[in-house]
């Protein structure tokens, strides 16, 4: 509701309009971006990275992770990638033996002209990722125009040359009629933006009709026409054929 501001002891006719939230910036191509998340929010952060990254319409998407290092590992789902607007055939999954090998492979991938995006997943301290390593990734991204994203799970932020640094967490959805499950939602906070403002938070809702995240403060979904399917990054299911702790994103 608009408020009336007093001026000079009287009432002013000037209305103070509620401040609009800042537009949500995308994860730009040719840059390095960091996304921090807790272990249970890994899938939500992964969906944010893939949905908000500015990728070339063609070219490979290289995802790197060290197998066996994650407390709550996730699996890529072809259906989930398609709902995010990405052709699953573009994804190349690389599982190096160690974090230093993963960092080297990620740097090599970022230097390739045919790579649209590089997604490096780490958990914990990731000691080999320091300021020097981040600068090398930035130089590689700038040269190839790849979008390089470092997903850091259960890790404290540290100094780096990344263009942006985010935290992402799952958020409760708005229930539909008869308390039916609402559209998936996440909370995203921009912790750092090199050359720009930071400290803004957004509640994001998944728009199933258009396959993208929407700012909840600006988006009024049409509940009555909402399809029944939801993006699987919040509806995690255990992979019965594998480790029961494994999750599908």
């Amino acid at each position: 509701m608009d408020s009336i501001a007093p001026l000079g002891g009287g009432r002013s006719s000037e209305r103070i309009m509620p401040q609009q939230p800042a537009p949500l910036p995308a994860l730009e191509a040719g840059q390095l971006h960091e996304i921090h998340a807790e272990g249970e929010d890994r899938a939500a952060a992964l969906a944010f990275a893939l949905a908000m990254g500015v990728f070339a319409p063609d070219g490979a998407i290289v995802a790197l992770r060290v197998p066996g290092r994650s407390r709550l590992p996730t699996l890529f789902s072809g259906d989930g990638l398609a709902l995010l607007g990405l052709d699953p055939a573009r994804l190349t999954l690389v599982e190096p033996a160690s974090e230093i090998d993963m960092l080297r492979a990620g740097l090599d991938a970022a230097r390739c002209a045919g790579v649209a995006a590089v997604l490096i997943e780490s958990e914990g301290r990731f000691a080999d990722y320091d300021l020097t390593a981040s600068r090398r990734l930035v130089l590689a991204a700038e040269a190839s125009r790849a979008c390089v994203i470092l997903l850091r799970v259960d890790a404290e932020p540290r100094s780096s040359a990344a263009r942006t640094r985010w935290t992402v967490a799952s958020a409760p959805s708005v229930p539909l009629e008869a308390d039916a499950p609402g559209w998936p939602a996440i909370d995203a906070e921009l912790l750092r933006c090199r050359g720009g403002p930071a400290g803004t938070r957004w509640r994001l809702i998944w728009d199933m009709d258009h396959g993208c995240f929407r700012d909840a403060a600006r988006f009024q979904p049409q509940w009555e026409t909402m399809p029944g399917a939801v993006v699987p990054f919040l509806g995690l299911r255990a992979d019965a054929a594998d480790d029961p702790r494994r999750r599908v994103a």
Side-chain angles (χ1 to χ4, degrees), residues 34-49 52 151-152 165-171 185-191 204 213 233:
E34 295 176 3
I35 301 174
H36 285 256
E38 300 296 326
E40 58 270 22
D41 296 318
R42 176 194 290 266
L46 185 58
F48 175 83
M52 297 301 298
L151 175 57
R152 304 201 61 201
R165 180 180 298 126
W166 300 78
T167 58
V168 172
S170 302
I186 64 174
D187 285 329
E189 181 179 1
L190 182 58
L191 299 178
L204 303 178
F213 282 112
F233 73 85

mmCIF file of all heavy atoms in Angstrom, residues 34-49 52 151-152 165-171 185-191 204 213 233:
data_model
loop_
_atom_site.group_PDB
_atom_site.id
_atom_site.type_symbol
_atom_site.label_atom_id
_atom_site.label_comp_id
_atom_site.label_asym_id
_atom_site.label_seq_id
_atom_site.Cartn_x
_atom_site.Cartn_y
_atom_site.Cartn_z
ATOM 1 N N GLU A 34 30.584 -17.845 -9.000
ATOM 2 C CA GLU A 34 30.594 -18.796 -7.895
ATOM 3 C C GLU A 34 29.195 -18.877 -7.290
ATOM 4 O O GLU A 34 28.536 -17.858 -7.090
ATOM 5 C CB GLU A 34 31.583 -18.377 -6.808
ATOM 6 C CG GLU A 34 33.033 -18.390 -7.245
ATOM 7 C CD GLU A 34 33.957 -17.877 -6.148
ATOM 8 O OE1 GLU A 34 33.463 -17.567 -5.042
ATOM 9 O OE2 GLU A 34 35.167 -17.772 -6.397
ATOM 10 N N ILE A 35 28.764 -20.097 -6.999
ATOM 11 C CA ILE A 35 27.480 -20.333 -6.337
ATOM 12 C C ILE A 35 27.736 -21.190 -5.106
ATOM 13 O O ILE A 35 28.285 -22.300 -5.216
ATOM 14 C CB ILE A 35 26.480 -21.027 -7.275
ATOM 15 C CG1 ILE A 35 26.237 -20.172 -8.523
ATOM 16 C CG2 ILE A 35 25.163 -21.306 -6.553
ATOM 17 C CD1 ILE A 35 25.368 -20.852 -9.558
ATOM 18 N N HIS A 36 27.342 -20.688 -3.946
ATOM 19 C CA HIS A 36 27.497 -21.419 -2.691
ATOM 20 C C HIS A 36 26.153 -21.983 -2.255
ATOM 21 O O HIS A 36 25.109 -21.334 -2.430
ATOM 22 C CB HIS A 36 28.058 -20.501 -1.598
ATOM 23 C CG HIS A 36 29.516 -20.210 -1.752
ATOM 24 N ND1 HIS A 36 30.484 -20.807 -0.972
ATOM 25 C CD2 HIS A 36 30.195 -19.410 -2.614
ATOM 26 C CE1 HIS A 36 31.679 -20.363 -1.329
ATOM 27 N NE2 HIS A 36 31.531 -19.518 -2.326
ATOM 28 N N ALA A 37 26.183 -23.182 -1.684
ATOM 29 C CA ALA A 37 24.958 -23.821 -1.218
ATOM 30 C C ALA A 37 25.301 -24.829 -0.130
ATOM 31 O O ALA A 37 26.432 -25.342 -0.072
ATOM 32 C CB ALA A 37 24.224 -24.510 -2.361
ATOM 33 N N GLU A 38 24.326 -25.106 0.724
ATOM 34 C CA GLU A 38 24.454 -26.197 1.677
ATOM 35 C C GLU A 38 24.240 -27.520 0.936
ATOM 36 O O GLU A 38 23.702 -27.561 -0.167
ATOM 37 C CB GLU A 38 23.434 -26.045 2.801
ATOM 38 C CG GLU A 38 23.560 -24.762 3.595
ATOM 39 C CD GLU A 38 24.887 -24.668 4.339
ATOM 40 O OE1 GLU A 38 25.379 -25.738 4.780
ATOM 41 O OE2 GLU A 38 25.427 -23.560 4.463
ATOM 42 N N GLY A 39 24.668 -28.608 1.567
ATOM 43 C CA GLY A 39 24.589 -29.906 0.921
ATOM 44 C C GLY A 39 23.193 -30.271 0.465
ATOM 45 O O GLY A 39 22.997 -30.779 -0.642
ATOM 46 N N GLU A 40 22.184 -29.990 1.320
ATOM 47 C CA GLU A 40 20.819 -30.362 0.957
ATOM 48 C C GLU A 40 20.232 -29.470 -0.135
ATOM 49 O O GLU A 40 19.167 -29.775 -0.686
ATOM 50 C CB GLU A 40 19.915 -30.313 2.187
ATOM 51 C CG GLU A 40 19.853 -28.974 2.880
ATOM 52 C CD GLU A 40 20.912 -28.815 3.968
ATOM 53 O OE1 GLU A 40 21.928 -29.542 3.911
ATOM 54 O OE2 GLU A 40 20.711 -27.994 4.866
ATOM 55 N N ASP A 41 20.919 -28.362 -0.449
ATOM 56 C CA ASP A 41 20.449 -27.443 -1.487
ATOM 57 C C ASP A 41 21.253 -27.562 -2.772
ATOM 58 O O ASP A 41 21.135 -26.719 -3.664
ATOM 59 C CB ASP A 41 20.512 -25.998 -0.978
ATOM 60 C CG ASP A 41 19.581 -25.762 0.197
ATOM 61 O OD1 ASP A 41 18.445 -26.257 0.150
ATOM 62 O OD2 ASP A 41 19.995 -25.094 1.160
ATOM 63 N N ARG A 42 22.059 -28.593 -2.885
ATOM 64 C CA ARG A 42 22.916 -28.756 -4.066
ATOM 65 C C ARG A 42 22.094 -28.784 -5.349
ATOM 66 O O ARG A 42 22.440 -28.124 -6.336
ATOM 67 C CB ARG A 42 23.731 -30.044 -3.945
ATOM 68 C CG ARG A 42 24.579 -30.352 -5.184
ATOM 69 C CD ARG A 42 25.080 -31.783 -5.156
ATOM 70 N NE ARG A 42 26.083 -31.969 -4.122
ATOM 71 C CZ ARG A 42 27.401 -31.876 -4.319
ATOM 72 N NH1 ARG A 42 27.857 -31.587 -5.541
ATOM 73 N NH2 ARG A 42 28.248 -32.063 -3.341
ATOM 74 N N ALA A 43 21.005 -29.558 -5.379
ATOM 75 C CA ALA A 43 20.214 -29.680 -6.599
ATOM 76 C C ALA A 43 19.585 -28.348 -6.975
ATOM 77 O O ALA A 43 19.504 -28.003 -8.157
ATOM 78 C CB ALA A 43 19.143 -30.753 -6.427
ATOM 79 N N ALA A 44 19.112 -27.584 -5.990
ATOM 80 C CA ALA A 44 18.537 -26.269 -6.271
ATOM 81 C C ALA A 44 19.588 -25.335 -6.858
ATOM 82 O O ALA A 44 19.322 -24.590 -7.804
ATOM 83 C CB ALA A 44 17.939 -25.667 -5.000
ATOM 84 N N ALA A 45 20.798 -25.364 -6.296
ATOM 85 C CA ALA A 45 21.878 -24.520 -6.814
ATOM 86 C C ALA A 45 22.285 -24.947 -8.215
ATOM 87 O O ALA A 45 22.605 -24.112 -9.069
ATOM 88 C CB ALA A 45 23.082 -24.584 -5.870
ATOM 89 N N LEU A 46 22.256 -26.250 -8.474
ATOM 90 C CA LEU A 46 22.591 -26.743 -9.799
ATOM 91 C C LEU A 46 21.563 -26.279 -10.826
ATOM 92 O O LEU A 46 21.906 -25.860 -11.940
ATOM 93 C CB LEU A 46 22.675 -28.267 -9.759
ATOM 94 C CG LEU A 46 23.139 -28.986 -11.018
ATOM 95 C CD1 LEU A 46 24.518 -28.513 -11.446
ATOM 96 C CD2 LEU A 46 23.142 -30.492 -10.794
ATOM 97 N N ALA A 47 20.280 -26.333 -10.454
ATOM 98 C CA ALA A 47 19.234 -25.854 -11.358
ATOM 99 C C ALA A 47 19.378 -24.359 -11.614
ATOM 100 O O ALA A 47 19.194 -23.894 -12.739
ATOM 101 C CB ALA A 47 17.862 -26.163 -10.767
ATOM 102 N N PHE A 48 19.709 -23.595 -10.572
ATOM 103 C CA PHE A 48 19.924 -22.153 -10.734
ATOM 104 C C PHE A 48 21.073 -21.890 -11.699
ATOM 105 O O PHE A 48 20.980 -21.039 -12.587
ATOM 106 C CB PHE A 48 20.214 -21.532 -9.368
ATOM 107 C CG PHE A 48 20.564 -20.073 -9.401
ATOM 108 C CD1 PHE A 48 19.569 -19.105 -9.445
ATOM 109 C CD2 PHE A 48 21.883 -19.651 -9.384
ATOM 110 C CE1 PHE A 48 19.881 -17.756 -9.475
ATOM 111 C CE2 PHE A 48 22.214 -18.307 -9.415
ATOM 112 C CZ PHE A 48 21.203 -17.357 -9.457
ATOM 113 N N ALA A 49 22.171 -22.624 -11.539
ATOM 114 C CA ALA A 49 23.333 -22.429 -12.405
ATOM 115 C C ALA A 49 22.991 -22.707 -13.860
ATOM 116 O O ALA A 49 23.346 -21.936 -14.757
ATOM 117 C CB ALA A 49 24.475 -23.338 -11.950
ATOM 118 N N MET A 52 20.211 -20.010 -15.133
ATOM 119 C CA MET A 52 20.577 -18.601 -15.161
ATOM 120 C C MET A 52 21.842 -18.329 -15.966
ATOM 121 O O MET A 52 22.166 -17.181 -16.246
ATOM 122 C CB MET A 52 20.774 -18.077 -13.738
ATOM 123 C CG MET A 52 19.525 -18.120 -12.877
ATOM 124 S SD MET A 52 18.163 -17.159 -13.572
ATOM 125 C CE MET A 52 18.892 -15.519 -13.554
ATOM 126 N N LEU A 151 30.368 -24.350 -8.544
ATOM 127 C CA LEU A 151 29.373 -24.646 -7.526
ATOM 128 C C LEU A 151 30.099 -25.179 -6.300
ATOM 129 O O LEU A 151 30.685 -26.262 -6.336
ATOM 130 C CB LEU A 151 28.365 -25.676 -8.054
ATOM 131 C CG LEU A 151 27.320 -26.175 -7.062
ATOM 132 C CD1 LEU A 151 26.521 -25.021 -6.477
ATOM 133 C CD2 LEU A 151 26.394 -27.187 -7.730
ATOM 134 N N ARG A 152 30.060 -24.410 -5.212
ATOM 135 C CA ARG A 152 30.768 -24.773 -3.990
ATOM 136 C C ARG A 152 29.750 -25.149 -2.921
ATOM 137 O O ARG A 152 28.928 -24.330 -2.511
ATOM 138 C CB ARG A 152 31.666 -23.629 -3.521
ATOM 139 C CG ARG A 152 32.660 -23.162 -4.576
ATOM 140 C CD ARG A 152 33.823 -22.439 -3.943
ATOM 141 N NE ARG A 152 34.535 -23.317 -3.039
ATOM 142 C CZ ARG A 152 35.334 -22.885 -2.059
ATOM 143 N NH1 ARG A 152 35.494 -21.586 -1.863
ATOM 144 N NH2 ARG A 152 35.949 -23.737 -1.274
ATOM 145 N N ARG A 165 29.287 -13.726 -6.971
ATOM 146 C CA ARG A 165 29.244 -14.805 -5.974
ATOM 147 C C ARG A 165 27.836 -14.841 -5.392
ATOM 148 O O ARG A 165 27.310 -13.817 -4.960
ATOM 149 C CB ARG A 165 30.273 -14.598 -4.865
ATOM 150 C CG ARG A 165 30.259 -15.705 -3.804
ATOM 151 C CD ARG A 165 31.293 -15.456 -2.718
ATOM 152 N NE ARG A 165 32.639 -15.459 -3.267
ATOM 153 C CZ ARG A 165 33.511 -14.458 -3.104
ATOM 154 N NH1 ARG A 165 33.156 -13.374 -2.428
ATOM 155 N NH2 ARG A 165 34.700 -14.539 -3.632
ATOM 156 N N TRP A 166 27.233 -16.023 -5.376
ATOM 157 C CA TRP A 166 25.854 -16.202 -4.957
ATOM 158 C C TRP A 166 25.738 -17.228 -3.833
ATOM 159 O O TRP A 166 26.599 -18.092 -3.690
ATOM 160 C CB TRP A 166 24.998 -16.716 -6.123
ATOM 161 C CG TRP A 166 24.937 -15.834 -7.319
ATOM 162 C CD1 TRP A 166 25.892 -15.693 -8.297
ATOM 163 C CD2 TRP A 166 23.859 -14.969 -7.699
ATOM 164 N NE1 TRP A 166 25.468 -14.806 -9.251
ATOM 165 C CE2 TRP A 166 24.226 -14.346 -8.911
ATOM 166 C CE3 TRP A 166 22.614 -14.683 -7.133
ATOM 167 C CZ2 TRP A 166 23.394 -13.448 -9.568
ATOM 168 C CZ3 TRP A 166 21.778 -13.793 -7.776
ATOM 169 C CH2 TRP A 166 22.170 -13.184 -8.981
ATOM 170 N N THR A 167 24.656 -17.150 -3.084
ATOM 171 C CA THR A 167 24.208 -18.260 -2.259
ATOM 172 C C THR A 167 22.805 -18.631 -2.726
ATOM 173 O O THR A 167 21.986 -17.754 -3.017
ATOM 174 C CB THR A 167 24.175 -17.923 -0.762
ATOM 175 O OG1 THR A 167 23.303 -16.797 -0.541
ATOM 176 C CG2 THR A 167 25.564 -17.603 -0.248
ATOM 177 N N VAL A 168 22.544 -19.919 -2.790
ATOM 178 C CA VAL A 168 21.258 -20.416 -3.265
ATOM 179 C C VAL A 168 20.751 -21.461 -2.279
ATOM 180 O O VAL A 168 21.522 -22.311 -1.808
ATOM 181 C CB VAL A 168 21.378 -21.029 -4.680
ATOM 182 C CG1 VAL A 168 20.085 -21.714 -5.095
ATOM 183 C CG2 VAL A 168 21.749 -19.949 -5.691
ATOM 184 N N ALA A 169 19.460 -21.399 -1.967
ATOM 185 C CA ALA A 169 18.842 -22.362 -1.059
ATOM 186 C C ALA A 169 17.424 -22.655 -1.519
ATOM 187 O O ALA A 169 16.762 -21.799 -2.130
ATOM 188 C CB ALA A 169 18.828 -21.826 0.373
ATOM 189 N N SER A 170 16.952 -23.845 -1.247
ATOM 190 C CA SER A 170 15.567 -24.192 -1.546
ATOM 191 C C SER A 170 14.636 -23.343 -0.692
ATOM 192 O O SER A 170 14.971 -22.952 0.431
ATOM 193 C CB SER A 170 15.316 -25.675 -1.262
ATOM 194 O OG SER A 170 16.192 -26.487 -2.009
ATOM 195 N N ALA A 171 13.457 -23.052 -1.226
ATOM 196 C CA ALA A 171 12.480 -22.230 -0.513
ATOM 197 C C ALA A 171 11.107 -22.898 -0.603
ATOM 198 O O ALA A 171 10.843 -23.669 -1.533
ATOM 199 C CB ALA A 171 12.418 -20.825 -1.114
ATOM 200 N N ALA A 185 10.439 -23.292 -5.780
ATOM 201 C CA ALA A 185 10.951 -21.952 -5.474
ATOM 202 C C ALA A 185 12.318 -22.067 -4.814
ATOM 203 O O ALA A 185 12.625 -23.052 -4.132
ATOM 204 C CB ALA A 185 9.983 -21.208 -4.551
ATOM 205 N N ILE A 186 13.142 -21.051 -5.022
ATOM 206 C CA ILE A 186 14.452 -20.972 -4.376
ATOM 207 C C ILE A 186 14.701 -19.539 -3.909
ATOM 208 O O ILE A 186 14.076 -18.597 -4.398
ATOM 209 C CB ILE A 186 15.599 -21.417 -5.314
ATOM 210 C CG1 ILE A 186 15.703 -20.466 -6.511
ATOM 211 C CG2 ILE A 186 15.427 -22.849 -5.760
ATOM 212 C CD1 ILE A 186 16.905 -20.768 -7.404
ATOM 213 N N ASP A 187 15.607 -19.399 -2.963
ATOM 214 C CA ASP A 187 16.098 -18.100 -2.531
ATOM 215 C C ASP A 187 17.509 -17.928 -3.069
ATOM 216 O O ASP A 187 18.356 -18.816 -2.908
ATOM 217 C CB ASP A 187 16.120 -18.000 -1.003
ATOM 218 C CG ASP A 187 14.734 -17.819 -0.415
ATOM 219 O OD1 ASP A 187 13.887 -17.203 -1.081
ATOM 220 O OD2 ASP A 187 14.495 -18.304 0.712
ATOM 221 N N ALA A 188 17.773 -16.793 -3.703
ATOM 222 C CA ALA A 188 19.097 -16.488 -4.246
ATOM 223 C C ALA A 188 19.554 -15.140 -3.719
ATOM 224 O O ALA A 188 18.792 -14.174 -3.734
ATOM 225 C CB ALA A 188 19.069 -16.476 -5.772
ATOM 226 N N GLU A 189 20.789 -15.078 -3.251
ATOM 227 C CA GLU A 189 21.370 -13.820 -2.772
ATOM 228 C C GLU A 189 22.675 -13.557 -3.503
ATOM 229 O O GLU A 189 23.538 -14.439 -3.595
ATOM 230 C CB GLU A 189 21.616 -13.861 -1.272
ATOM 231 C CG GLU A 189 22.205 -12.564 -0.729
ATOM 232 C CD GLU A 189 22.444 -12.578 0.765
ATOM 233 O OE1 GLU A 189 22.171 -13.613 1.391
ATOM 234 O OE2 GLU A 189 22.924 -11.546 1.301
ATOM 235 N N LEU A 190 22.816 -12.345 -4.014
ATOM 236 C CA LEU A 190 24.040 -11.932 -4.693
ATOM 237 C C LEU A 190 24.991 -11.361 -3.646
ATOM 238 O O LEU A 190 24.827 -10.236 -3.178
ATOM 239 C CB LEU A 190 23.725 -10.891 -5.766
ATOM 240 C CG LEU A 190 24.889 -10.370 -6.607
ATOM 241 C CD1 LEU A 190 25.603 -11.515 -7.330
ATOM 242 C CD2 LEU A 190 24.399 -9.329 -7.610
ATOM 243 N N LEU A 191 25.984 -12.137 -3.260
ATOM 244 C CA LEU A 191 26.931 -11.728 -2.225
ATOM 245 C C LEU A 191 27.963 -10.739 -2.743
ATOM 246 O O LEU A 191 28.391 -9.843 -2.013
ATOM 247 C CB LEU A 191 27.660 -12.954 -1.653
ATOM 248 C CG LEU A 191 26.810 -14.017 -0.979
ATOM 249 C CD1 LEU A 191 27.696 -15.171 -0.525
ATOM 250 C CD2 LEU A 191 26.053 -13.438 0.206
ATOM 251 N N LEU A 204 12.747 -16.792 -6.096
ATOM 252 C CA LEU A 204 12.529 -17.162 -7.484
ATOM 253 C C LEU A 204 11.558 -18.329 -7.574
ATOM 254 O O LEU A 204 11.663 -19.295 -6.812
ATOM 255 C CB LEU A 204 13.853 -17.545 -8.151
ATOM 256 C CG LEU A 204 14.960 -16.485 -8.120
ATOM 257 C CD1 LEU A 204 16.219 -17.040 -8.780
ATOM 258 C CD2 LEU A 204 14.514 -15.211 -8.806
ATOM 259 N N PHE A 213 13.215 -19.292 -14.434
ATOM 260 C CA PHE A 213 12.924 -18.741 -13.114
ATOM 261 C C PHE A 213 12.338 -17.343 -13.260
ATOM 262 O O PHE A 213 12.734 -16.572 -14.134
ATOM 263 C CB PHE A 213 14.184 -18.666 -12.253
ATOM 264 C CG PHE A 213 14.600 -19.987 -11.666
ATOM 265 C CD1 PHE A 213 15.765 -20.609 -12.075
ATOM 266 C CD2 PHE A 213 13.818 -20.603 -10.710
ATOM 267 C CE1 PHE A 213 16.146 -21.825 -11.540
ATOM 268 C CE2 PHE A 213 14.190 -21.824 -10.167
ATOM 269 C CZ PHE A 213 15.364 -22.441 -10.577
ATOM 270 N N PHE A 233 14.152 -30.648 -9.610
ATOM 271 C CA PHE A 233 15.278 -30.353 -8.731
ATOM 272 C C PHE A 233 14.863 -30.261 -7.273
ATOM 273 O O PHE A 233 15.693 -30.401 -6.378
ATOM 274 C CB PHE A 233 16.022 -29.080 -9.161
ATOM 275 C CG PHE A 233 15.322 -27.790 -8.884
ATOM 276 C CD1 PHE A 233 15.420 -27.170 -7.647
ATOM 277 C CD2 PHE A 233 14.591 -27.172 -9.875
ATOM 278 C CE1 PHE A 233 14.795 -25.973 -7.413
ATOM 279 C CE2 PHE A 233 13.962 -25.965 -9.637
ATOM 280 C CZ PHE A 233 14.057 -25.370 -8.397
#
